[in-house]
Amino acid sequence: MNYLSVIGYVMMAMLSFKGYSQSKTPQEKIRILKNGYIIQLTSDNASVKKGSLVIEGDKIKEILYEEVSEIADADIIDITGKYVLPGLVDAHVHLATVPKEERNENNQYMEQQLDKMLFAGITTVRDMAGNAIILGDYKRAVSLGQVKGPDIYHAAMFAGPGYFEMTRRFPSGKRSPKDTPWEQTITDTTTISLAIARAKGAGVSGIKIYSDLSKELVQKITEEAKLQGLQAWAHAAIFPASPMDIAQSKVHSMSHAFDIVYGLDKKGPITREDKVTPIDTKKLDLLLQVMKENNIILDATNYIAENNKLYIGTVITKRAKEFGVKVAVGTDWPYLMEDEIPFYKELRLLVEKSGFTMAEALWSATQIGTESIGLTDRGSIKEGKRADFLITNENPLEGLSQLKDVHLVVKAGVVYKK
Ligand SMILES: [Zn+2]
């Protein structure tokens, strides 16, 4: 790629505006992010190279590693001296769990959290169950650019009757009083294929396999979800299904590292009595081995664990990382409750307590987060991938304060600046 072809792009961009500018959305423009430091991450390393990103529509068309000099009158954004990371992915949020009293309060709350996420560089989230009508509505609003926020991929929650008998008894919880396509009671007599089809009809991307389900049911749900093109996202301990039962069922991800203390490598039914402390590393390794073989992502959620004094989560995550189990960065914590973005706190724990370098934590925060949703169109800076970037003023590989120093966020080719 040389200077001339860069001009070519600019010409194309200018031509494409001519006559069409009225009907073209901002997403269809060609943009060049000029002269930044592009960070390429791998599972255990990172490289930084000066370059420019050519964006066509919502995708990366080309990466140019030669200097791009003076080009007038084009949609060019100079990012000289800035650092470009792929957009971040929060693998565990609950955007629409507990409704507020008033509808406008709901909308305000939703939009504030989405806004806070996006301007921190989070361009995609995995919502691990909530009202699918609201989530679907916001998923659409966000994709149309009506609301500023990350792309939303959400789950339907499947659990046994024991769980719902408990949770639906509390009026303060404001849960739906009965089953909906996104919150279904599953028993041995449930037609699983129909249950999954209902969930799919509600627009979800995955089934959250949550609680009070046997090993056999976890297996059935997982197989049927895959058959119908959905993801199987399980809790790490489901009671009676144990972490080992779940790992052997080949789910796509297991949430909450600290839950692994229940039953650990035990096959067959577990209860809360089966808590294994201290952790037997040999037993933990047996489980991690199965998770690794089955390419199951650990959605660690250690910040919420530490808030509940469950310090074992970071220890289990450290071992998982040493073992080569993929770890996603999920917060499971409200974004408006504290000033600091919970995603940063999750990253901090990976680095300070679970043995991750900043580069490894960012790989988890981008590529592994993407994989946790079953997506392949984003998560790294490559030609053909979505143009989702977090652009910072300083080098984020050096630490969290640099990561927090946001210059711009680009999502699907659209530039967001506070
Ligand atoms: Zn959750």
Side-chain angles (χ1 to χ4, degrees):
M1 177 52 57
N2 56 32
Y3 177 76
L4 274 178
S5 48
V6 172
I7 292 177
Y9 280 122
V10 177
M11 297 277 285
M12 275 162 56
M14 287 162 68
L15 284 172
S16 67
F17 292 147
K18 208 176 177 187
Y20 296 103
S21 57
Q22 294 288 316
S23 61
K24 286 220 162 188
T25 69
Q27 296 206 356
E28 289 166 318
K29 288 182 188 173
I30 288 185
R31 293 198 164 81
I32 299 175
L33 297 174
K34 195 181 89 170
N35 293 342
Y37 293 112
I38 298 168
I39 300 175
Q40 296 290 2
L41 301 162
T42 63
S43 61
D44 60 359
N45 219 331
S47 67
V48 183
K49 208 171 164 189
K50 202 169 179 184
S52 300
L53 296 154
V54 180
I55 303 167
E56 185 177 47
D58 61 353
K59 290 192 177 61
I60 302 167
K61 187 177 172 71
E62 194 146 20
I63 307 171
L64 312 169
Y65 287 111
E66 293 90 22
E67 183 93 4
V68 177
S69 46
E70 278 313 298
I71 303 165
D73 260 1
D75 198 1
I76 289 179
I77 298 161
D78 191 334
I79 53 164
T80 302
K82 312 294 182 190
Y83 291 80
V84 188
L85 273 177
L88 307 174
V89 182
D90 190 332
H92 199 133
V93 301
H94 294 278
L95 296 169
T97 308
V98 182
K100 306 276 177 200
E101 290 301 327
E102 303 288 337
R103 182 171 163 78
N104 62 350
E105 280 182 275
N106 270 336
N107 294 347
Q108 230 177 34
Y109 187 81
M110 177 66 94
E111 284 164 31
Q112 279 172 2
Q113 47 179 352
L114 291 173
D115 195 85
K116 193 168 178 182
M117 288 168 171
L118 182 66
F119 285 98
I122 297 166
T123 49
T124 305
V125 296
R126 180 172 71 156
D127 190 289
M128 292 299 259
N131 185 307
I133 293 175
I134 294 168
L135 292 168
D137 179 33
Y138 273 95
K139 182 189 179 101
R140 177 172 177 272
V142 160
S143 72
L144 292 174
Q146 295 167 341
V147 168
K148 291 186 180 77
D151 281 8
I152 301 167
Y153 293 87
H154 53 298
M157 183 171 71
F158 283 14
Y163 170 74
F164 291 117
E165 272 159 26
M166 193 174 66
T167 53
R168 285 176 182 161
R169 219 181 286 152
F170 303 116
S172 59
K174 293 178 187 169
R175 308 190 73 90
S176 28
K178 53 183 189 212
D179 276 13
T180 56
W182 60 88
E183 198 181 273
Q184 298 188 46
T185 311
I186 306 295
T187 68
D188 291 337
T189 59
T190 304
T191 309
I192 301 295
S193 56
L194 199 57
I196 305 266
R198 278 195 197 108
K200 195 172 176 179
V204 305
S205 303
I207 306 296
K208 182 171 182 175
I209 307 171
Y210 191 64
S211 177
D212 190 29
L213 297 165
S214 66
K215 171 188 178 173
E216 290 72 26
L217 279 174
V218 173
Q219 232 156 22
K220 263 196 204 171
I221 294 166
T222 303
E223 281 165 17
E224 187 60 34
K226 287 181 181 176
L227 218 59
Q228 295 195 34
L230 294 184
Q231 294 274 302
W233 300 327
H235 257 205
I238 289 177
F239 309 99
S242 70
M244 187 57 113
D245 295 337
I246 297 156
Q248 286 177 337
S249 299
K250 302 186 181 175
V251 296
H252 293 100
S253 70
M254 289 166 66
S255 293
H256 311 310
F258 57 86
D259 264 357
I260 284 172
V261 298
Y262 294 103
L264 203 56
D265 72 323
K266 193 178 161 186
K267 293 185 192 183
I270 55 156
T271 67
R272 298 244 165 216
E273 304 293 301
D274 286 301
K275 195 170 175 179
V276 183
T277 48
I279 284 275
D280 179 334
T281 308
K282 280 205 182 100
K283 287 185 173 179
L284 177 60
D285 288 355
L286 288 173
L287 174 72
L288 294 173
Q289 185 60 38
V290 177
M291 287 180 71
K292 191 181 171 182
E293 278 166 10
N294 290 339
N295 196 29
I296 296 172
I297 292 171
L298 178 64
D299 167 27
T301 70
N302 287 326
Y303 178 60
I304 188 171
E306 300 249 327
N307 275 335
N308 290 298
K309 301 193 165 56
L310 299 164
Y311 303 109
I312 197 70
T314 54
V315 178
I316 291 171
T317 306
K318 184 169 196 277
R319 190 69 185 161
K321 187 225 168 215
E322 287 163 4
F323 230 84
V325 171
K326 294 173 179 174
V327 177
V329 183
T331 55
D332 202 11
W333 193 259
Y335 269 67
L336 299 183
M337 205 156 122
E338 295 154 5
D339 277 347
E340 193 183 26
I341 304 274
F343 198 82
Y344 298 144
K345 302 183 194 223
E346 196 64 32
L347 285 171
R348 182 179 296 125
L349 286 172
L350 289 182
V351 172
E352 289 181 359
K353 293 197 171 181
S354 298
F356 284 66
T357 63
M358 198 58 199
E360 289 167 337
L362 290 170
W363 171 254
S364 281
T366 54
Q367 177 60 31
I368 305 304
T370 300
E371 286 180 30
S372 82
I373 306 173
L375 298 173
T376 55
D377 66 340
R378 63 195 75 185
S380 57
I381 304 177
K382 292 201 178 78
E383 287 164 12
K385 297 276 181 189
R386 278 234 323 195
D388 289 356
F389 311 118
L390 163 57
I391 303 175
T392 56
N393 291 310
E394 301 290 333
N395 185 354
L397 296 170
E398 286 171 7
L400 263 182
S401 57
Q402 288 83 352
L403 181 73
K404 288 179 179 182
D405 188 1
V406 176
H407 175 61
L408 287 177
V409 177
V410 179
K411 198 195 82 169
V414 179
V415 177
Y416 297 91
K417 189 171 171 64
K418 267 276 187 233

